[in-house]
Amino acid sequence: MTSAKLRRGLRNVWRSADPGAAGRTARALLAPVELPFRLAVAARNARYDRSPSPPTPIPVVSVGNLTVGGTGKTPVVRWLGEWFRGEGVRAAIVVRGYGADEVALYRRWFGDGAVFVGRDRTALVAAAAARGYRLALLDDGFQHRRLHRALDLLLVAAEDPWPVRMLPRGPYREPLASARRATHVLVTRRTASRAVVASWRERLERAAPGVSGQVVELRMGGWRDLEGAAAEAPAGDVLAVSSIARPQSFRAGLQALLPGARTKVAAFADHHPYTARDVAVLLGRRGDRTVVCTAKDAVKLASFPEMRPHCRVVGFRVAGDPQEPLRSALAEVGGCASR
């Protein structure tokens, strides 16, 4: 079995309510490994609780999560960056750069100079301050506790599995109780029902009483071509191509947008680097369908000219503006007046 297939298999076990006999066996076999991981996470957090991080030259707004991918960090960072830009605040994007697709998207949205990429995020924040940025948006920062933050935004997807199972038995990097150190908890919702969203809010209120909460709706829309220009929605059937943590949400969103279309799926591992062979296979599978991909996939597929005539791009965006008390907190760290 290849590493990509193994990762996909693990994700299916992690996120399925009923993974079948094989999945239940895998969970049982991984359970003894989960306990040492839990203990290591608890020890690390206790160490940082005793030794707070030093202040930074500009405020840091961290956007992170408890799970391995798929909570909507990239659209939320975009949402916050665009909100600050609308308020006249120069915000830098600080990112580790695990996925080149995310870096490319941030550069497309905010410009090359606004995106700071590397392992040493403390140094990146200092570099952003030196270039005149007034604050830094830290992508995937909840576990990066060496860096002090003015706001710590924790994202929990309403589609996240319950109960909490930590790595490697499940997708959680920390227990739900870690939500207590967040300043705000945002429950992101793509396709989950209102009842599921309400259940998550109740769990989080019990786990982190007193921490501000808000539901953030992630809605699919805004058709583009591979170059980023506005485009018409595809007519007819589609081949849905994605290399994201939650391909099932992408497919469900497409089916809602294109109710009359039949959707064929080509799902790759998260952050998959497309090759010429991948593109040849996709074009062979396309038939008379339109290829539809996510924005993260588009920045990689755009380098293959043969894909451009056949591809449309659509993605999830955050609906609406920040609500109180998050709005006032953002305005305060940005030094701007909340309208």
Side-chain angles (χ1 to χ4, degrees), residues 61-64 71-84 93 106 109-110 137-139 153-156 186-190 214-218 296 316-320 322 326 330:
V61 177
S62 169
V63 178
T71 54
K73 291 189 301 293
T74 304
V76 168
V77 170
R78 181 184 188 181
W79 176 59
L80 295 173
E82 290 177 345
W83 186 85
F84 279 119
I93 311 297
Y106 288 141
W109 295 332
F110 299 107
L137 289 169
L138 176 63
D139 178 282
L153 310 187
L154 175 64
L155 308 189
V156 175
L186 310 184
V187 178
T188 60
R189 175 182 178 269
R190 290 179 177 87
Q214 174 179 337
V215 176
V216 171
E217 299 280 350
L218 299 176
K296 287 185 178 181
F316 286 98
R317 296 285 301 271
V318 176
L326 175 60
L330 294 171

Side-chain angles (χ1 to χ4, degrees), residues 11 15 62-74 76-77 102 138-144 149 152-157 160 167 171-176 178-179 181-182 184-186 188 190 204 245-246 270 296:
R11 286 186 184 276
R15 301 192 182 279
S62 169
V63 178
N65 59 7
L66 297 176
T67 59
V68 180
T71 54
K73 291 189 301 293
T74 304
V76 168
V77 170
E102 292 168 349
L138 176 63
D139 178 282
D140 197 15
F142 196 68
Q143 286 77 35
H144 190 72
R149 66 284 317 274
D152 213 348
L153 310 187
L154 175 64
L155 308 189
V156 175
D160 278 342
L167 291 167
Y172 285 84
R173 297 186 278 185
E174 296 194 56
L176 203 60
S178 292
R181 72 170 187 269
H184 302 76
V185 176
L186 310 184
T188 60
R190 290 179 177 87
L204 289 162
R246 296 183 189 272
D270 198 13
K296 287 185 178 181

Side-chain angles (χ1 to χ4, degrees), residues 1 13 22 25 28 111 147 161 171 185:
M1 180 181 291
V13 170
T25 299
L147 186 62
V185 176

Side-chain angles (χ1 to χ4, degrees), residues 92-96 116-129 136:
I93 311 297
V94 173
V95 58
R96 169 66 177 84
F116 295 77
V117 184
R119 291 175 61 93
D120 189 345
R121 281 158 279 189
T122 302
L124 296 178
V125 171

